[in-house]
Amino acid sequence: MRDIGDVGDMSGDTAGKAPRNRLDLEPDTVEKDLVKLVLTVVELLRQLMERQALRRFDTGDLTEDQEERIGLTLMLLDDRMAELRDRYGLRPEDLNLDLGPLGPLLPRE
C-alpha cells in the first residue's frame, strides 16, 4: 500500500519504497494514447447523446424530420468512430477506462 506522500515524492530516492505511479510517455505511443483518450471522451459523449435522443423519441418531443436527422447523425458518428479506432488499431473495449472500485467508465454492451 502506498502513502499519499509517495505519489508526490520527486526526490528520486526509491530505496525501500514501492514504485511510484508514473505516466509512461513513450514517443512511439504518445499519439495512439492521446487518440485513445480523445476517442474515449467522444464515445462517452456519443453514448450520452444517444440515450438522450432515445428519451426524446419515447416522449414524442421530436418531429419526424428531427428524429431522422438525429438518427443519421448518430449513425455517421458511430461509423467515424469505427474508422478512427481501425486507423489506430483500437477496439471498442480499449476505450473503456477502468475506474477501479467505481467500475468501467462506459457501460458494457
Side-chain angles (χ1 to χ4, degrees):
M1 190 98 173
R2 177 188 316 248
D3 288 342
I4 291 177
D6 290 339
V7 174
D9 182 12
M10 302 301 269
S11 67
D13 179 18
T14 58
K17 293 183 182 178
R20 292 179 291 196
N21 287 334
R22 290 186 180 179
L23 183 58
D24 190 17
L25 297 176
E26 293 294 327
D28 299 337
T29 63
V30 168
E31 180 181 15
K32 183 177 179 179
D33 292 342
L34 180 59
V35 167
K36 182 178 174 181
L37 176 61
V38 170
L39 289 180
T40 297
V41 171
V42 171
E43 178 61 17
L44 176 64
L45 293 173
R46 187 195 69 76
Q47 288 186 17
L48 292 172
M49 289 178 359
E50 188 175 87
R51 287 189 193 112
Q52 180 64 25
L54 288 174
R55 278 190 222 111
R56 292 185 70 192
F57 290 156
D58 290 343
T59 60
D61 289 347
L62 303 172
T63 65
E64 285 184 36
D65 185 50
Q66 289 173 322
E67 287 180 4
E68 191 170 319
R69 281 190 319 200
I70 289 172
L72 180 60
T73 301
L74 290 172
M75 286 178 12
L76 291 172
L77 180 56
D78 191 49
D79 289 346
R80 186 68 176 129
M81 288 288 293
E83 289 173 19
L84 289 169
R85 282 193 316 265
D86 289 345
R87 180 184 298 169
Y88 289 94
L90 297 168
R91 300 166 299 158
E93 54 270 16
D94 293 333
L95 304 182
N96 200 356
L97 300 176
D98 180 9
L99 301 177
L102 298 176
L105 176 65
L106 304 171
R108 293 194 172 109
E109 297 181 41

